[in-house]
Amino acid sequence: MRSRGFALAALLLGVSAVTAQQPVPPVPPGAPVQPPAPPAAPPVDSKLDAHLNGWQKNMGDLVNFRFNLELTRTDAVFKTDKKYSGVVLCMKPNFAVLRLNNDADKTATDYEAFICDGKSVFEYNGLAKTITEWKLPAPAPGGNPNGNGTDNIMLDFLKGMNANAAKARFDLTLFKEDANYVYLDVKPLQPKDKQEFTQLRMALYGPNTKWPYLPAQVYVSKPNGDTEQWKLKEPQTNIPGLGPQHFAAQKLDGWKQQEGGKAQQPQPKNIGQPKLPGKDDGLVRPK
């Protein structure tokens, strides 16, 4: 699922160097041919590993968490900014809601929202009045049947990846650290991630702060040159009373439902006053 609403990335500095394989010298006739030496492994960064393990542990201790969001999208061609505000809520094992409202829109129709119920991600487009269902990939054989990934970089980062899985999926480096933040640089290794971002810098709260290793800011660089800057504010963790019912997608009258990944007919931009499905106590959806 490659929906456009979740994406993270940033300028990478100090990428780990990998030793190039040297050419094999000529061998005299009749002499046994020795296989080339394997490339040297990247040097181990003990500070990076310590922070990744701390990130994994602290995120592992959370049942759910919520942030208020500020997002600035910058168009590389026209040099214009669009600002959004919203909320994201995640709950284990694989539930999430994210909503972003265009701050310049006075009609409350220009928004995008995503609901992950553990089996699919439902994408709501307020202007087009469409609901697109992106089915999540099936769990790997022998894996956790309730822990299948969202195939979405934002949610995967927010939930806190396994440290080894993160190192296998990305080229990670520790940019810097101070008393309040740990800055990680991230470069994609897999083709699916390269389609979503080219570089990423993520600022996590430091290990000795009130919110150890929770994300604070993320700067994203897209393949087309556009950038995104996410600010995650007012964190709440382990909110009582939260359950799967807060992550149930609903149909909306007059909205077109479609399945992601299939060819769709272009939809007109209808103007109306649609709302995100359902109402609750404010934990999930912004007022």
Side-chain angles (χ1 to χ4, degrees), residues 35-202:
V44 175
D45 187 335
S46 58
K47 287 187 176 182
L48 173 64
D49 286 347
H51 287 308
L52 291 178
N53 289 330
W55 175 41
Q56 177 181 329
K57 179 183 183 303
N58 280 273
M59 297 302 285
D61 291 339
L62 299 181
V63 176
N64 59 61
F65 53 90
R66 179 188 188 277
F67 296 94
N68 289 334
L69 298 175
E70 292 181 4
L71 169 63
T72 300
R73 288 175 172 157
T74 301
D75 188 291
V77 176
F78 298 101
K79 309 299 182 184
T80 55
D81 292 339
K82 285 188 177 181
K83 296 184 180 296
Y84 301 81
S85 58
V87 64
V88 62
L89 174 72
C90 294
M91 185 183 77
K92 294 182 179 178
N94 210 7
F95 298 93
V97 167
L98 183 149
R99 174 162 176 158
L100 293 169
N101 304 302
N102 185 344
D103 292 344
D105 175 47
K106 304 303 182 183
T107 66
T109 60
D110 187 0
Y111 72 83
E112 53 195 77
F114 301 83
I115 300 176
C116 179
D117 64 2
K119 297 179 181 179
S120 297
V121 174
F122 297 86
E123 177 182 358
Y124 293 78
N125 186 317
L127 289 177
K129 300 182 74 172
T130 57
I131 305 172
T132 305
E133 179 181 2
W134 303 87
K135 294 187 181 298
L136 297 181
N144 180 3
N146 296 320
N148 48 328
T150 65
D151 193 25
N152 184 287
I153 188 66
M154 170 64 107
L155 293 183
D156 288 346
F157 265 121
L158 286 177
K159 293 190 302 179
M161 294 181 187
N162 174 279
N164 290 331
K167 292 173 69 174
R169 183 173 174 182
F170 305 104
D171 185 352
L172 299 172
T173 57
L174 176 63
F175 173 63
K176 70 174 183 177
E177 54 186 333
D178 55 36
N180 298 311
Y181 300 102
V182 174
Y183 300 86
L184 299 181
D185 281 342
V186 184
K187 186 175 182 179
L189 298 176
Q190 299 181 3
K192 66 176 183 179
D193 294 323
K194 291 180 180 180
Q195 294 176 11
E196 191 162 336
F197 73 98
T198 58
Q199 296 176 333
L200 177 152
R201 176 164 294 158
M202 178 165 51

Side-chain angles (χ1 to χ4, degrees), residues 183-231:
Y183 300 86
L184 299 181
D185 281 342
V186 184
K187 186 175 182 179
L189 298 176
Q190 299 181 3
K192 66 176 183 179
D193 294 323
K194 291 180 180 180
Q195 294 176 11
E196 191 162 336
F197 73 98
T198 58
Q199 296 176 333
L200 177 152
R201 176 164 294 158
M202 178 165 51
L204 306 175
Y205 288 103
N208 298 317
T209 63
K210 183 179 179 181
W211 309 107
Y213 294 109
L214 285 179
Q217 291 192 35
V218 181
Y219 182 86
V220 181
S221 179
K222 299 291 197 65
N224 64 356
D226 292 354
T227 61
E228 295 182 348
Q229 184 171 3
W230 298 75
K231 295 182 179 180

